[in-house]
Amino acid sequence: MKPVIHIVDDDKSYRTSTARLLSAHGLKVEVYESGDQFLARLSAGEPGCVLLDLQMPGQSGLQIQRRLCELAPLLPVVFLTGEGDIKTSVEAMKAGAKDFLEKSSGAAALMEAIDHALIQYESQLAEHDRLQAQRALVAGLSPRETEVFRLLILGRLNKQIAYALGISERTVKVHRHQVMEKLGVGSLAEAVSIAANLGLIDHG
């Protein structure tokens, strides 16, 4: 699926000229005159990035960004402003904006910001998919295998697990083997890594 560059800006002339520029570079572009219009038409699973005007009638760029964190957290945001407000820039970057450009920035700077945002999107999507796959593998464990898995990742030995669950060591070994097989890992370290990725290990 080709990524879509969403231009959200109440300035019609800027919207139009930027859309023309990006289309000329072979990019797929959608334009919106307000943040509300953009959110109403948003397709959460669609790849791309958002060029978001900071100051608009209705919801501000920062308010739209906060909604995007809930609705499409993987979609990168590049803020556009005619004001160069440093404080707002810092606030936007802390909230996860990928870049912050003044509208007077040249085409090269804009294209570079979009390239970075799209690369970031691909990277975050790959990580998201990897975590989803790992989550599905762990969810596929039986209740007993899940108990064994949770004790394994805490560093418990087979005999300690057997004692904790009231089963034989031999049974623990069988379950341990099944856990490793279902998770597609060849070592305890790999199983622990999956658990850490999914937040199953309490570092406190």
Side-chain angles (χ1 to χ4, degrees):
M1 191 186 293
K2 192 171 182 181
V4 179
I5 313 304
H6 304 276
I7 303 172
V8 187
D9 196 312
D10 63 309
D11 181 339
K12 186 177 180 181
S13 63
Y14 183 82
R15 262 198 331 267
T16 306
S17 61
T18 305
R20 277 204 200 105
L21 169 71
L22 301 185
S23 296
H25 281 81
L27 294 168
K28 187 177 175 183
V29 181
E30 296 280 352
V31 296
Y32 315 85
E33 61 185 19
S34 72
D36 290 325
Q37 187 186 70
F38 165 59
L39 291 177
R41 285 159 53 186
L42 178 65
S43 174
E46 198 173 51
C49 75
V50 186
L51 300 182
L52 185 57
D53 187 19
L54 192 61
Q55 305 291 349
M56 294 180 288
Q59 294 195 68
S60 71
L62 285 174
Q63 287 174 308
I64 297 299
Q65 182 190 24
R66 281 194 281 274
R67 291 289 290 129
L68 272 177
C69 287
E70 301 164 16
L71 300 172
L74 297 181
L75 202 60
V77 173
V78 175
F79 271 111
L80 299 166
T81 178
E83 308 187 2
D85 182 332
I86 299 290
K87 182 168 177 273
T88 312
S89 167
V90 170
E91 191 179 337
M93 296 298 260
K94 278 183 179 173
K98 299 305 164 216
D99 219 328
F100 202 98
L101 290 177
E102 290 196 19
K103 287 186 180 179
S104 56
S105 298
L110 179 60
M111 293 306 299
E112 187 180 359
I114 290 171
D115 283 345
H116 283 163
L118 293 178
I119 289 168
Q120 181 99 21
Y121 175 84
E122 288 298 327
S123 169
Q124 288 182 326
L125 180 64
E127 177 64 12
H128 173 76
D129 288 348
R130 188 171 71 92
L131 289 177
Q132 288 292 87
Q134 290 181 342
R135 202 166 275 121
L137 291 175
V138 171
L141 299 176
S142 71
R144 179 61 91 191
E145 286 162 358
T146 300
E147 288 177 325
V148 171
F149 174 59
R150 288 185 176 276
L151 290 168
L152 273 177
I153 61 178
L154 292 174
R156 302 290 187 267
L157 301 174
N158 286 351
K159 64 181 180 183
Q160 293 173 313
I161 295 172
Y163 179 77
L165 299 180
I167 56 179
S168 70
E169 265 190 76
R170 185 199 254 325
T171 305
V172 170
K173 284 176 183 173
V174 170
H175 286 311
R176 182 174 180 149
H177 175 74
Q178 288 170 330
V179 167
M180 298 296 213
E181 206 163 65
K182 285 187 178 180
L183 295 183
V185 297
S187 70
L188 179 57
E190 288 176 88
V192 170
S193 175
I194 287 177
N197 289 342
L198 299 181
L200 300 176
I201 297 175
D202 181 8
H203 295 289

